[in-house]
Amino acid sequence: MHRNKLMTLINRPKPFLLLGFLIACLLLWVTEASVVSSGNFNEDFLVTWSPTHVNTSSDGRSRTLKLDQESGASFSSIQMFLFGKIDMKIKLIPGPSQGTVVAYYMSSDQTNRDEIDFEFLGNVNGQPYILQTNIYADGIDNREERIHLWFDPTKDFHTYSIFWNIHQIVFMVDQIPIRLYRNHTEKGVAYPRLQPMSVKASLWNGESWATRGGRDKVDWSNGPFVASFGDYKIDACVWNGNPELCREESSENWWNKNEFSSLTRVQKRWFKWVRKYHLIYDYCQDYARFHNKLPKECSLPKY
């Protein structure tokens, strides 16, 4: 073959190579598109309660909520999600904060709602902060667990994460798993899997129950009380009306892959450490509350 003709064939665009390149670019785009957070509270969240008690930095990267005798405050994500991983950095109320509740959670806002809760219960000065977690599935809750945090959460920001997929829900503090709730629907246990949820945060007066069962009331002389939020990341399936698109295992729905169906060996060690040294209440150990008939999931594997 003539050399010039050969070089022309070699340099000619090859449709299958071009198609492969475009597919690769598309897959990369889809994967990146699953990261739906901009990092700007003004773009990703709406203030849903008392705008005068919400303060957002000029660049939108951080936000505070304030509680005083007039009002608390809250915000909620514009989008709704079905499965994914949500990270939120929070610095809790410094000083005496008894009676206050800082909540960071996901909720479907339906009558039979699904909900995944972090609730930080204010403390008397010098006492360790209590973190309560709870899960609503098909409108039923009563699944509280409480731990003492192993650090002072008022001194600096720490990352609190919700990892939610078709297999399990994992609550994490600075990427350490503190609680698990598995999908045991095949055994008749309710699990959040059909209702999309928005990401929410609030600060409110919970003095009727939050600190020592309501014995320690809010001391307004220490107010106003301020909780700070920042550096969040939402990597989740944006709800578009079709749950199957969020339930499938794919490159964009990476959280549903089988490798995330349980904890890793290292995560299990951390989880056992939290349970051994920091757990102070587990509904699955409260026989009196349930009249010796614990919820069904209490007898099933956690991982």
Side-chain angles (χ1 to χ4, degrees), residues 128-139:
Y129 240 99
I130 292 176
L131 167 56
Q132 174 171 286
T133 56
N134 197 5
I135 292 172
Y136 285 72
D138 200 22

Side-chain angles (χ1 to χ4, degrees), residues 148-166:
H148 278 142
L149 292 170
W150 51 92
F151 53 84
D152 185 344
T154 71
K155 298 296 185 184
D156 204 352
F157 285 91
H158 291 267
T159 303
Y160 303 91
S161 304
I162 295 169
F163 184 73
W164 171 38
N165 63 22
I166 59 175

Side-chain angles (χ1 to χ4, degrees), residues 194-237:
L194 298 174
Q195 300 183 49
M197 295 193 265
S198 53
V199 181
K200 302 175 184 290
S202 61
L203 171 56
W204 46 284
N205 179 357
E207 67 178 6
S208 63
W209 65 275
T211 309
R212 293 203 308 150
R215 283 174 286 178
D216 295 321
K217 306 299 184 182
V218 176
D219 183 353
W220 296 109
S221 67
N222 294 312
F225 304 97
V226 176
S228 304
F229 300 79
D231 276 352
Y232 66 89
K233 181 179 179 182
I234 302 173
D235 193 351
C237 184

Side-chain angles (χ1 to χ4, degrees), residues 3-293:
R3 185 177 184 278
N4 289 339
K5 184 178 291 187
L6 177 62
M7 293 304 295
T8 299
L9 289 173
I10 291 174
N11 293 325
R12 181 179 297 167
K14 297 171 178 59
F16 66 90
L17 291 176
L18 181 59
L19 179 60
F21 175 75
L22 292 174
I23 290 175
C25 290
L26 178 61
L27 287 175
L28 179 62
W29 179 84
V30 169
T31 301
E32 291 180 341
S34 69
V35 183
V36 298
S37 54
S38 69
N40 188 321
F41 281 94
N42 291 323
E43 295 180 7
D44 293 332
F45 293 91
L46 294 174
V47 175
T48 50
W49 179 29
S50 192
T52 58
H53 287 59
V54 180
N55 185 44
T56 308
S57 62
S58 58
D59 61 2
R61 309 296 293 186
S62 62
R63 172 169 285 179
T64 61
L65 298 181
K66 181 177 71 173
L67 169 68
D68 57 22
Q69 287 179 282
E70 177 186 344
S71 180
S74 66
F75 59 85
S76 176
S77 63
I78 296 172
Q79 301 274 19
M80 300 190 79
F81 312 98
L82 187 63
F83 306 126
K85 185 171 186 285
I86 295 89
D87 300 326
M88 181 73 74
K89 287 196 173 183
I90 306 174
K91 183 163 67 172
L92 296 179
I93 301 165
S97 57
Q98 65 268 21
T100 67
V101 179
V102 177
Y104 153 59
Y105 60 108
M106 298 186 73
S107 177
S108 65
D109 295 330
Q110 302 296 319
T111 303
N112 61 329
R113 75 183 186 274
D114 290 339
E115 192 167 295
I116 305 170
D117 296 339
F118 278 94
E119 293 177 309
F120 304 91
L121 310 183
N123 65 337
V124 176
N125 201 29
Q127 298 297 312
Y129 240 99
I130 292 176
L131 167 56
Q132 174 171 286
T133 56
N134 197 5
I135 292 172
Y136 285 72
D138 200 22
I140 305 298
D141 64 334
N142 294 328
R143 297 184 176 93
E144 299 92 344
E145 288 189 9
R146 291 184 177 186
I147 66 168
H148 278 142
L149 292 170
W150 51 92
F151 53 84
D152 185 344
T154 71
K155 298 296 185 184
D156 204 352
F157 285 91
H158 291 267
T159 303
Y160 303 91
S161 304
I162 295 169
F163 184 73
W164 171 38
N165 63 22
I166 59 175
H167 310 290
Q168 61 181 347
I169 296 168
V170 185
F171 295 80
M172 292 182 281
V173 176
D174 291 333
Q175 307 309 318
I176 293 175
I178 64 163
R179 180 176 183 177
L180 305 176
Y181 185 80
R182 290 203 62 76
N183 183 350
H184 288 301
T185 52
E186 76 284 356
K187 295 181 175 66
V189 177
Y191 183 83
R193 60 194 176 93
L194 298 174
Q195 300 183 49
M197 295 193 265
S198 53
V199 181
K200 302 175 184 290
S202 61
L203 171 56
W204 46 284
N205 179 357
E207 67 178 6
S208 63
W209 65 275
T211 309
R212 293 203 308 150
R215 283 174 286 178
D216 295 321
K217 306 299 184 182
V218 176
D219 183 353
W220 296 109
S221 67
N222 294 312
F225 304 97
V226 176
S228 304
F229 300 79
D231 276 352
Y232 66 89
K233 181 179 179 182
I234 302 173
D235 193 351
C237 184
V238 179
W239 176 251
N240 67 356
N242 184 354
E244 291 306 314
L245 293 179
C246 294
R247 290 170 57 84
E248 65 184 11
E249 179 184 323
S250 62
S251 57
E252 58 267 29
N253 293 351
W254 60 267
W255 44 84
N256 284 334
K257 291 183 177 180
N258 192 61
E259 63 189 280
F260 300 110
S261 63
S262 186
L263 298 183
T264 66
R265 180 175 57 84
V266 173
Q267 286 177 322
K268 289 176 183 177
R269 289 175 61 186
W270 277 115
F271 176 66
K272 291 176 182 177
W273 173 79
V274 172
R275 304 286 293 182
K276 182 176 181 179
Y277 294 106
H278 301 284
L279 181 70
I280 56 176
Y281 177 80
D282 178 358
Y283 75 106
C284 281
Q285 298 174 3
D286 195 341
Y287 289 90
R289 176 183 181 183
F290 296 101
H291 307 290
N292 291 319
K293 293 182 180 179

